[in-house]
Amino acid sequence: MKSIDLQHLRTSIEVARNAREHGNHPFGAILVDENNQVLLQAENSVVTGKDCTGHAETNLMRLTTQHFSPEQLATCTLYTSTEPCAMCSGAIYWGNVGRVVYALSEVALYEIIGPSPDQLLLPSREVFAHSQRNVEVEGPATELDEEARAVHTGFWK
């Protein structure tokens, strides 16, 4: 993974830390254009928004599709602290984002959380593999494993 990708992933982890400080689940996402400029960011808002769809990536896609055309989004990268779930992967796909980079894998997250009836183990690559358009996926960022896990430490107990 390129150093610029790691830098943007660190920003998404910081957004996740902010979400936790705001009383939400520790997930964050940012949208970056083809010139590596951060365009927008969003944090999880499930708890404070009382909305089960308030995941960071879905919140970001709501914002992005209001501000950018599908053609612009096709050239963008969505960076996220944790691998997008199936719902968020769908939002990313329908929003036409061309690339997704994540720090912590869904499997690693579920190892941290432990058994739960809310788990839907469906990796983002698998969701995108069933689509009609290519969405490039990179992750997990093993170089940032400790940082990506740290934002979850003590939260899920």
Side-chain angles (χ1 to χ4, degrees), residues 29-146:
I30 65 170
L31 184 73
V32 175
D33 70 12
E34 69 274 11
N35 299 313
N36 285 308
Q37 298 300 308
V38 176
L39 301 175
L40 293 168
Q41 66 181 35
E43 55 188 59
N44 181 286
S45 62
V46 168
V47 176
T48 59
K50 296 179 174 58
D51 178 0
C52 66
T53 68
H55 294 193
E57 301 89 346
T58 299
N59 287 340
L60 184 61
M61 291 312 302
R62 286 186 189 111
L63 288 171
T64 63
T65 56
Q66 293 172 8
H67 293 91
F68 302 101
S69 71
E71 294 78 21
Q72 289 171 302
L73 292 174
T75 67
C76 291
T77 300
L78 187 149
Y79 290 89
T80 182
S81 60
T82 305
E83 182 176 5
C85 71
M87 174 187 70
C88 292
S89 295
I92 292 164
Y93 174 77
W94 293 116
N96 206 42
V97 170
R99 181 172 177 246
V100 175
V101 181
Y102 63 88
L104 187 69
S105 73
E106 183 179 55
V107 170
L109 174 66
Y110 287 156
E111 288 171 0
I112 294 167
I113 294 174
S116 166
D118 295 329
Q119 292 179 0
L120 175 62
L121 187 55
L122 183 58
S124 59
R125 277 185 178 84
E126 192 168 331
V127 173
F128 296 132
H130 293 279
S131 66
Q132 301 301 305
R133 181 173 19 82
N134 182 46
V135 177
E136 182 184 343
V137 180
E138 290 188 50
T142 55
E143 305 92 329
L144 300 181
D145 190 64
E146 274 188 48

